[in-house]
Amino acid sequence: MIKIQNISKRYFDNTVIDNVSLDLPEGQFITLLGPNGAGKSTLLRMMAGNELPDKGNVLYKGTSLGRFNFPHVNEIGFVHEKIEYISHCSVEKFVERLKCDQKFWDQKYFDYLVDKRKLDISKNYKTYSRGQKMQIALIINLAMRPKVLLLDEITSVVDVYGRKFFLDELRKFVDQKNTVIITTNIVNELEYYTDHLIIIKNSKVQLNLPVENVGVEFKKLRKLHDQRHPVFEDEKCVWAGVNSDHSVSYIIESSVAKKYNINDEFYDRRQSTLEDVFIYYFTKRDENEKSI
Amino acid sequence: MKSLFKLFFTPYIKVWFIYLLLHIGFFSVQALQPHLNDAFANALLSLRSMFLALGWLIFLVSTFSYNISWMINTHYSRAKLIVYYFLEQTVKIILVFFPYLVIVIAGGLKRKKSNIDFSVIVNNISDAEVNTSAVKNMFEFASEFAWKLPLLLVAFLLIFYTIPLIVSQSRTANTINGVAWGNRKEKIKRGFIVAISILIGFQTIEVMSKSEFISEFIFFIVFLMVSVYFIVNRFNLLRLKTHAVLLAVFFFMGMTYYSLMYMHQKSVIISTKSSPEVRLDYYLGLEILSPKVSEGLLEKFLVLIEDKDDLKKFLSINPNFNFNFLLDHIFNKNNKHTISHQWALLEHVNTRESFSEDKSKDLIGRIIQFNKNKKEIESLFYLNKFIKKYKISDTNYIDSIYQQKTKFTDFVALKYTRHHLPKEQQSKFLMKYKGYLKPSRVVSVFGKDKVPKEYMDYINRK
């Protein structure tokens, strides 16, 4: 559905995205992970057509998102952390005016979401709290009934009940064969919802795989304080937390683990989580040693 | 598109109605001005002038541009947003100037119907030529400034394109900027660009300070460029290199538009029924004087002008003053103006006229007449210039100046002797009045080395 072809983006001397190519699957909940400044938001902005790549192209259904007469408007929704609907009227009126150009606007769904979140839409957008603003932006974008919804760091400002509510709604949205591409720093909350994982590091895509393959590609190891094994000395074996039985968890790529003769006692029965994979890619070796 | 107008134009119309109501109020005050206290009316009218500037802001500050980031592709295509933007801006410009258009049309209709004699001020062309020549004049006016365009273009591209590009390309760029500035090479490169920009900025300010038109024009372009840059940046329509071309196009469009506005301003119709003070203010503001202004009115204007700069401006817009008329005004004893005001007029005469000896005698005669009973000799600097320029070699005339025996006439006669007579004549005059003339005065006018030998011997003997 969205095809990214060799795109690069630079801000002066800093390459934010370097020759990235992706073919994003349709009808999936795609989680895009990366540390701050990795280029996730820039990539999302380019997927929304908000920003143009210096090189390469982003295509939606075979059409460039930079095209002046983009034919698939209303099919992409974009909610980002700094979204502002600046208007001089109430949200109710704003939506009333906005929807007359929306092909797929679902008023019933909008009313349902507003009712569920108990939002008073008779006030001006600027009077709401940050979390409420984000919820309104999400509701508007969901009621637009787009085919693709791009969400940039939206969960950090919404309260825990709100997050659960919207993630459930997004799951339903995906189940209707739509696509969600989301970036977040709260990784564990998306564990249950994610179908596909993309990790960006150093301006490049490091990992791009369906979430069911995470368990295949990564193995989780655990060791007690007095246990020793050469695999734990390998710099690709990364500390992944301490367990309740005081054992320490490690994450390692399956291909690397195969090189060592590892007894079953060292394998953790639990499957590697998104958070483990995130830690694997973004923990520096020196931090790893310190943790040990 | 419909929703865009509903979202962003309807709220604007509400603000514009308030703007219109305020203008109606201001125009009512203008109509009532003759019956109002001057200070109050002037305060209100100044407020209205400021309001015109605010009017520009009303159309520049648009909630639309703030909302672009979430609208591109998600709700509207770029093409639709651009079409909307240009339609919106055009309508807003018309609406901002609507009150003024009404006044111009109403003024034109009134003029057609009434029998009042009007002086029409369009580059000194007569009443009948106004309609046919306005466009031609506009282009002539534009071509007058054409040579400055490349310079201004470079300055503006640097100041309003390069620096904003460095400082605030986008939010993401800002966060990354910190890293970029850490690079020493980059730092030096940018420091160099900023230094050059500041230098050109100062040059631009200097040019601005020299011409009212240039400064107005520059301010207009600042508004235009900043708004265009802001919009282009927001839209993220083009890759960075093409921004410059786009801005250049807008610059030339702006130039033409501003020329049109300037010519419109110059086409103001001034009623002869207005008071001389009001008419003088208009003429000075427009920097054009109607050919229909009578000599009597010119005399009134000259009396009314108090500021020396205004006087210079007034003389520059009317270079064909009658010589005797000006001299009569300068040396009119009822004239309460300062001596520097009079010398400014004389200087104007000095630069415009070339006199015969008789005219020079007349001029010097008037100067002497005006100054001879004054204790202090003022503006000697100007007098030096006149004496050097207007040659009088008639020794009898110079002798008659010596014979008047005042401090001022001594000075004038010595100056003429020094600058326009041969050595033997100089010596003859100095020896003739040796008992009367103060040697120190002679030395100060001639300079120690240039005092004739015979007179110097006389001083030494004494």
Side-chain angles (χ1 to χ4, degrees):
Chain A
M1 186 173 261
I2 293 184
K3 211 172 217 175
I4 295 169
Q5 296 174 327
N6 309 316
I7 59 165
S8 295
K9 184 79 184 176
R10 281 162 65 95
Y11 294 112
F12 310 111
D13 273 359
N14 296 276
T15 305
V16 185
I17 300 289
D18 186 14
N19 201 25
V20 166
S21 293
L22 282 170
D23 196 349
L24 300 170
E26 194 179 344
Q28 302 262 293
F29 194 110
I30 302 167
T31 301
L32 194 62
L33 296 180
N36 296 333
K40 304 184 299 283
S41 301
T42 309
L43 192 61
L44 274 198
R45 278 202 299 276
M46 287 194 280
M47 282 188 212
N50 260 218
E51 208 154 314
L52 299 178
D54 296 336
K55 280 182 198 162
N57 220 339
V58 184
L59 305 173
Y60 174 78
K61 289 185 176 172
T63 312
S64 168
L65 276 141
R67 213 176 119 180
F68 267 36
N69 260 315
F70 183 65
H72 305 291
V73 282
N74 305 143
E75 288 186 28
I76 299 173
F78 183 30
V79 185
H80 54 82
E81 200 184 18
K82 288 176 183 168
I83 196 149
E84 288 289 341
Y85 293 105
I86 296 175
S87 72
H88 301 285
C89 54
S90 66
V91 170
E92 196 174 11
K93 205 145 212 175
F94 176 81
V95 167
E96 207 174 285
R97 289 170 177 174
L98 180 76
K99 72 183 183 190
C100 57
D101 277 337
Q102 298 296 315
K103 267 193 245 169
F104 315 114
W105 183 261
D106 188 339
Q107 186 61 40
K108 272 188 188 168
Y109 188 44
F110 176 80
D111 294 339
Y112 162 78
L113 293 172
V114 168
D115 185 46
K116 280 281 174 191
R117 294 309 304 148
K118 294 188 172 53
L119 289 164
D120 174 13
I121 53 168
S122 61
K123 295 190 284 181
N124 189 302
Y125 187 73
K126 66 184 172 197
T127 60
Y128 294 102
S129 73
R130 225 171 138 227
Q132 285 174 315
K133 278 181 185 174
M134 183 57 77
Q135 292 189 43
I136 290 167
L138 266 167
I139 289 172
I140 290 173
N141 275 275
L142 279 166
M144 267 167 57
R145 293 288 189 199
K147 303 283 176 220
V148 177
L149 195 51
L150 305 165
L151 306 168
D152 186 12
E153 303 283 1
I154 55 148
T155 49
S156 53
V157 291
V158 181
D159 61 63
V160 65
Y161 301 107
R163 287 208 292 271
K164 168 81 174 64
F165 174 80
F166 281 108
L167 286 172
D168 286 342
E169 286 304 322
L170 289 172
R171 188 66 247 179
K172 282 185 217 164
F173 174 76
V174 170
D175 291 342
Q176 289 158 6
K177 292 189 177 172
N178 298 312
T179 307
V180 166
I181 303 171
I182 187 168
T183 70
T184 184
N185 286 319
I186 309 172
V187 187
N188 56 355
E189 284 190 350
L190 294 180
E191 188 78 47
Y192 172 72
Y193 301 95
T194 304
D195 298 320
H196 196 93
L197 179 67
I198 296 170
I199 288 185
I200 298 180
K201 189 183 177 185
N202 299 336
S203 320
K204 286 183 183 288
V205 172
Q206 303 287 335
L207 187 74
N208 175 19
L209 82 175
V211 84
E212 60 261 28
N213 289 359
V214 167
V216 181
E217 297 287 330
F218 294 89
K219 292 294 172 197
K220 207 167 178 182
L221 305 177
R222 63 195 283 273
K223 81 171 181 88
L224 291 167
H225 187 66
D226 53 350
Q227 287 179 313
R228 290 281 180 272
H229 194 281
V231 72
F232 297 111
E233 298 304 316
D234 193 306
E235 72 169 12
K236 284 186 176 170
C237 184
V238 176
W239 175 88
V242 179
N243 302 310
S244 55
D245 61 353
H246 301 291
S247 63
V248 182
S249 287
Y250 290 84
I251 180 102
I252 189 165
E253 277 182 55
S254 302
S255 57
V256 180
K258 272 180 196 168
K259 291 178 192 168
Y260 296 92
N261 186 18
I262 304 170
N263 299 334
D264 280 352
E265 62 176 312
F266 288 115
Y267 280 110
D268 196 325
R269 284 179 193 169
R270 292 170 299 173
Q271 200 179 329
S272 307
T273 62
L274 296 188
E275 196 165 4
D276 294 334
V277 179
F278 185 83
I279 289 170
Y280 177 79
Y281 277 99
F282 302 109
T283 306
K284 288 178 188 166
R285 182 63 189 161
D286 53 349
E287 282 177 14
N288 186 23
E289 278 167 352
K290 232 182 256 175
S291 307
I292 292 164
Chain B
M1 248 343 205
K2 200 174 151 193
S3 61
L4 283 176
F5 274 97
K6 277 186 173 181
L7 276 169
F8 304 109
F9 195 69
T10 319
Y12 171 82
I13 287 291
K14 286 178 191 167
V15 180
W16 181 78
F17 266 113
I18 300 167
Y19 169 83
L20 185 69
L21 282 173
L22 280 166
H23 267 87
I24 291 169
F26 285 133
F27 285 129
S28 313
V29 171
Q30 196 169 24
L32 291 169
Q33 194 189 14
H35 314 290
L36 286 172
N37 170 313
D38 266 2
F40 175 67
N42 285 340
L44 278 172
L45 292 173
S46 321
L47 196 64
R48 200 202 65 187
S49 308
M50 281 170 66
F51 215 63
L52 179 64
L54 279 177
W56 284 98
L57 287 175
I58 285 174
F59 94 86
L60 281 174
V61 177
S62 162
T63 50
F64 171 73
S65 55
Y66 288 107
N67 287 285
I68 286 167
S69 68
W70 60 262
M71 292 195 290
I72 294 176
N73 289 2
T74 56
H75 296 70
Y76 311 94
S77 68
R78 284 178 163 75
K80 268 195 179 172
L81 291 172
I82 292 171
V83 168
Y84 168 77
Y85 174 67
F86 284 107
L87 280 176
E88 185 206 54
Q89 293 298 294
T90 314
V91 175
K92 279 185 178 177
I93 289 169
I94 293 168
L95 286 177
V96 164
F97 286 100
F98 177 76
Y100 299 93
L101 290 175
V102 170
I103 291 299
V104 170
I105 294 164
L109 288 174
K110 189 182 167 191
R111 189 176 151 226
K112 257 189 175 179
K113 285 179 186 170
S114 69
N115 297 318
I116 303 166
D117 176 29
F118 284 95
S119 300
V120 181
I121 319 300
V122 181
N123 282 359
N124 292 340
I125 57 175
S126 74
D127 215 338
E129 288 175 292
V130 174
N131 294 330
T132 52
S133 304
V135 176
K136 190 177 152 235
N137 271 286
M138 185 189 85
F139 284 112
E140 273 174 14
F141 173 76
S143 63
E144 199 181 310
F145 289 91
W147 68 271
K148 286 172 184 163
L149 282 180
L151 178 82
L152 286 171
L153 185 63
V154 171
F156 279 115
L157 284 181
L158 275 168
I159 298 167
F160 302 110
Y161 177 70
T162 314
I163 292 182
L165 200 67
I166 294 166
V167 179
S168 63
Q169 191 208 353
S170 73
R171 281 190 291 244
T172 321
N174 267 344
T175 39
I176 291 161
N177 242 357
V179 188
W181 280 94
N183 182 329
R184 199 174 289 173
K185 245 187 184 178
E186 189 66 14
K187 213 184 254 184
I188 293 166
K189 202 170 92 187
R190 285 181 194 187
F192 184 69
I193 295 171
V194 171
I196 294 270
S197 306
I198 290 169
L199 217 89
I200 293 176
F202 277 120
Q203 284 293 312
T204 315
I205 290 165
E206 200 190 324
V207 173
M208 279 166 76
S209 65
K210 281 179 184 164
S211 160
E212 203 179 318
F213 164 74
I214 300 268
S215 55
E216 280 176 17
F217 176 65
I218 283 173
F219 278 120
F220 173 77
I221 295 297
V222 170
F223 270 125
L224 193 82
M225 300 288 261
V226 169
S227 58
V228 168
Y229 176 80
F230 180 73
I231 295 300
V232 167
N233 208 19
R234 280 277 170 175
F235 268 106
N236 192 19
L237 291 171
L238 304 158
R239 301 213 164 127
L240 298 179
K241 282 173 194 168
T242 40
H243 282 197
V245 180
L246 187 86
L247 291 183
V249 170
F250 272 92
F251 183 85
F252 283 102
M253 277 168 66
M255 169 72 199
T256 317
Y257 178 75
Y258 191 82
S259 305
L260 186 76
M261 292 304 300
Y262 191 78
M263 284 315 296
H264 167 73
Q265 192 194 14
K266 282 201 167 189
S267 304
V268 171
I269 295 159
I270 302 166
S271 166
T272 48
K273 285 202 167 179
S274 303
S275 68
E277 287 89 343
V278 170
R279 297 176 72 182
L280 177 65
D281 276 351
Y282 266 112
Y283 290 131
L284 288 175
L286 296 168
E287 293 185 34
I288 289 175
L289 194 65
S290 167
K292 292 189 177 181
V293 173
S294 64
E295 281 212 342
L297 188 61
L298 283 178
E299 172 80 39
K300 271 185 194 167
F301 285 163
L302 282 171
V303 174
L304 282 170
I305 297 170
E306 284 174 0
D307 183 64
K308 204 176 147 189
D309 289 332
D310 279 351
L311 179 69
K312 280 183 180 171
K313 197 192 248 185
F314 185 68
L315 290 170
S316 70
I317 59 176
N318 187 26
N320 305 318
F321 267 121
N322 179 291
F323 173 71
N324 285 324
F325 166 77
L326 258 190
L327 289 189
D328 286 346
H329 171 75
I330 295 166
F331 300 108
N332 182 349
K333 283 190 178 173
N334 299 324
N335 189 346
K336 287 172 188 168
H337 284 306
T338 60
I339 201 86
S340 68
H341 184 104
Q342 289 167 342
W343 283 117
L345 284 167
L346 272 178
E347 198 173 21
H348 174 74
V349 174
N350 183 20
T351 52
R352 299 278 176 185
E353 299 278 337
S354 64
F355 296 149
S356 63
E357 190 158 323
D358 283 346
K359 265 192 174 179
S360 300
K361 281 180 186 171
D362 181 23
L363 177 62
I364 291 300
R366 283 172 190 258
I367 293 171
I368 291 168
Q369 198 62 31
F370 195 80
N371 285 279
K372 71 176 181 183
N373 296 325
K374 292 191 174 171
K375 283 180 184 170
E376 292 299 321
I377 300 170
E378 295 172 78
S379 308
L380 291 183
F381 171 73
Y382 294 104
L383 193 59
N384 278 340
K385 285 207 301 193
F386 279 94
I387 292 174
K388 276 181 190 171
K389 181 166 181 182
Y390 303 122
K391 195 177 176 184
I392 297 171
S393 47
D394 179 354
T395 47
N396 290 335
Y397 181 74
I398 295 171
D399 192 35
S400 70
I401 300 173
Y402 273 113
Q403 282 173 14
Q404 291 182 40
K405 293 188 176 177
T406 67
K407 191 180 171 185
F408 187 75
T409 51
D410 283 358
F411 180 79
V412 174
L414 281 168
K415 276 275 172 190
Y416 268 109
T417 312
R418 156 85 177 78
H419 291 291
H420 300 299
L421 295 182
K423 282 274 175 191
E424 59 275 16
Q425 293 282 6
Q426 288 179 6
S427 188
K428 196 179 158 191
F429 272 121
L430 293 177
M431 292 310 286
K432 183 178 176 185
Y433 294 101
K434 64 184 179 186
Y436 164 72
L437 284 172
K438 282 185 181 172
S440 60
R441 197 171 288 169
V442 176
V443 172
S444 73
V445 171
F446 277 78
K448 249 186 182 177
D449 304 338
K450 303 268 179 179
V451 178
K453 196 175 171 292
E454 199 181 347
Y455 186 74
M456 204 62 198
D457 292 343
Y458 157 74
I459 296 171
N460 291 335
R461 275 200 309 274
K462 210 179 171 190

